[in-house]
Amino acid sequence: EAGVAQSPRYKIIEKRQSVAFWCNPISGHATLYWYQQILGQGPKLLIQFQNNGVVDDSQLPKDRFSAERLKGVDSTLKIQPAKLEDSAVYLCASSFIRSERSDTQYFGPGTRLTVL
Amino acid sequence: GDSVTQMEGPVTLSEEAFLTINCTYTATGYPSLFWYVQYPGEGLQLLLKATKADDKGSNKGFEATYRKETTSFHLEKGSVQVSDSAVYFCALKYGNKLVFGAGTILRVKS
């Protein structure tokens, strides 16, 4: 079974530039998550989709971050304009159902963003 | 709000030593608890989980028991190997949200 795919794996940009990350979840997974992992910290949820609808974006900095999941499959996370503090690894994860206690999230390899 | 606290690392052990990584949580209800592992250059992988009090999760020789009375989910392994070197994350899931600890780096020397 193919895992969660993400691209690019690495990205270096100047501050105030824009950047986009792509995620393809495991086939059949209805729920998709984007996390931000700053060096030395655990992942922090940015946004959660159920099919193509947003169920939680309370920690997404909406003035600069946006995400979409068209057709309920692939997703794109965008940052515009980027700030130095956005340097982090951006993780995508997917799962079958969002509400089950035992539901497991499967993570992609992440995109490491460096903002100079 | 809900939170997870892990022991600070790095933890450095010799091969075949006993491992304990402490994890405690704060939650308003009764969450599910997870340990995830991140090997060098790879993504997060689920190591084990427990969904209710007194449940024991186990996998690859690792174990953790859900202790409601002490709000803990400590990770243990009887004999570590060099290949266990990684970052270990404790996490809780309550409702739709997965909350992670800061991670503990484990280094195993041969």
Side-chain angles (χ1 to χ4, degrees):
Chain A
E1 175 184 87
V4 176
Q6 290 187 246
S7 68
R9 292 295 306 276
Y10 305 91
K11 190 73 177 178
I12 301 174
I13 61 172
E14 301 277 338
K15 61 183 178 183
R16 291 188 289 274
Q17 286 186 321
S18 62
V19 65
F21 313 126
W22 173 82
C23 172
N24 181 242
I26 293 173
S27 178
H29 281 191
T31 309
L32 185 146
Y33 313 79
W34 282 103
Y35 289 86
Q36 180 192 57
Q37 186 178 12
I38 293 172
L39 186 65
Q41 300 180 19
K44 182 186 80 171
L45 180 69
L46 291 175
I47 189 168
Q48 177 183 341
F49 293 92
Q50 179 81 4
N51 296 309
N52 60 347
V54 175
V55 296
D56 187 348
D57 63 356
S58 57
Q59 298 190 90
L60 187 74
K62 298 180 186 63
D63 57 333
R64 299 184 299 105
F65 285 65
S66 64
E68 60 182 10
R69 190 183 184 197
L70 300 176
K71 302 180 182 178
V73 182
D74 293 6
S75 177
T76 303
L77 177 70
K78 296 180 181 177
I79 308 175
Q80 182 178 9
K83 293 185 175 181
L84 297 177
E85 60 261 36
D86 297 332
S87 294
V89 176
Y90 291 84
L91 298 168
C92 180
S94 68
S95 65
F96 277 111
I97 306 166
R98 70 178 176 91
S99 61
E100 290 291 329
R101 292 180 60 81
S102 62
D103 184 35
T104 298
Q105 294 184 22
Y106 296 85
F107 286 79
T111 297
R112 183 177 298 277
L113 173 67
T114 302
V115 182
L116 303 175
Chain B
D2 297 343
S3 65
V4 175
T5 302
Q6 293 181 233
M7 65 186 289
E8 288 193 23
V11 174
T12 303
L13 296 173
S14 296
E15 212 166 17
E16 300 183 3
F18 185 85
L19 168 71
T20 300
I21 300 178
N22 290 338
C23 170
T24 57
Y25 67 89
T26 301
T28 52
Y30 299 104
S32 297
L33 300 174
F34 302 79
W35 277 100
Y36 278 83
V37 59
Q38 190 170 35
Y39 297 104
E42 300 184 16
L44 282 164
Q45 303 174 25
L46 178 66
L47 181 59
L48 53 84
K49 63 184 177 185
T51 59
K52 61 183 187 296
D54 300 324
D55 266 4
K56 178 186 284 187
S58 61
N59 185 25
K60 299 182 181 180
F62 291 88
E63 293 183 341
T65 301
Y66 189 141
R67 300 287 188 202
K68 189 175 72 172
E69 63 275 13
T70 55
T71 62
S72 65
F73 193 54
H74 304 321
L75 182 68
E76 296 182 336
K77 186 174 186 182
S79 176
V80 293
Q81 307 299 312
V82 172
S83 57
D84 293 326
S85 297
V87 184
Y88 291 81
F89 292 92
C90 185
L92 67 83
K93 184 171 183 286
Y94 187 70
N96 65 324
K97 192 168 290 187
L98 193 61
V99 176
F100 286 89
T104 302
I105 297 172
L106 171 65
R107 296 180 180 141
V108 181
K109 303 182 299 183
S110 59

